[in-house]
């Protein structure tokens, strides 16, 4: 199983970016999908998550600005980031809990990360 994230880049404060992450491989089912972010020297923090049923959860710092969504048929998760702030700059990682044909218990998988830079 591999997760491939895309959509990061440089944006001005107040602007928008949309991150995408696609899963590939011998996947049986995908449960919770999420986005985390990390700045150097800090731990990786949850930004937003979405369950297989569509329930969402957001970090307080992004509520009202970011929206997480998923496309189950395409095995993708998205993060729409609006009203970006300089403090949103980080490496963003996608995360999925995936059951595979080889592992019915499932486990967490991570993408390699995509850099988001916000200029003030």
């Amino acid at each position: 199983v591999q997760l491939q994230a895309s959509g990061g880049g440089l944006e001005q404060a107040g602007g928008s970016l949309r991150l995408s992450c696609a899963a590939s491989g011998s996947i049986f089912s995908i449960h919770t999908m999420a986005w985390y972010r990390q700045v150097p020297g800090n731990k990786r923090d949850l930004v937003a998550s979405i369950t297989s049923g569509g329930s969402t959860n957001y970090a307080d710092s992004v509520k009202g600005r970011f929206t997480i969504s998923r496309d189950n048929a395409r095995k993708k998760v998205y993060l729409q980031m609006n009203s970006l702030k300089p403090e949103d700059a980080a490496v963003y990682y996608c995360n999925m809990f995936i059951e595979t044909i080889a592992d019915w218990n499932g486990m967490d998988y991570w993408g390699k990360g995509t850099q988001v830079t916000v200029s003030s």
Side-chain angles (χ1 to χ4, degrees):
V1 174
Q2 289 187 330
L3 303 188
Q4 181 65 50
S6 61
L10 172 64
E11 183 57 73
Q12 292 184 335
S16 298
L17 285 172
R18 188 186 192 219
L19 305 183
S20 300
C21 178
S24 61
S26 299
I27 295 170
F28 178 71
S29 66
I30 304 176
H31 296 273
T32 299
M33 298 179 175
W35 289 95
Y36 288 73
R37 66 187 181 189
Q38 187 173 24
V39 297
N42 287 11
K43 65 179 179 69
R44 193 172 294 184
D45 292 323
L46 176 68
V47 176
S49 65
I50 183 167
T51 68
S52 57
S55 297
T56 58
N57 180 52
Y58 295 92
D60 287 343
S61 60
V62 306
K63 283 181 180 176
R65 300 188 298 120
F66 290 10
T67 302
I68 189 170
S69 60
R70 61 190 286 166
D71 184 332
N72 292 325
R74 291 181 170 84
K75 302 181 179 65
K76 285 188 170 183
V77 62
Y78 305 96
L79 186 68
Q80 178 66 43
M81 304 185 294
N82 299 329
S83 302
L84 283 164
K85 302 176 180 180
E87 51 264 41
D88 294 319
V91 177
Y92 283 71
Y93 296 90
C94 58
N95 165 267
M96 299 185 189
F97 189 85
I98 298 174
E99 292 177 358
T100 66
I101 297 173
D103 182 5
W104 296 103
N105 291 321
M107 61 179 287
D108 276 314
Y109 290 86
W110 294 87
K112 288 186 177 180
T114 183
Q115 177 72 50
V116 171
T117 304
V118 183
S119 61
S120 57

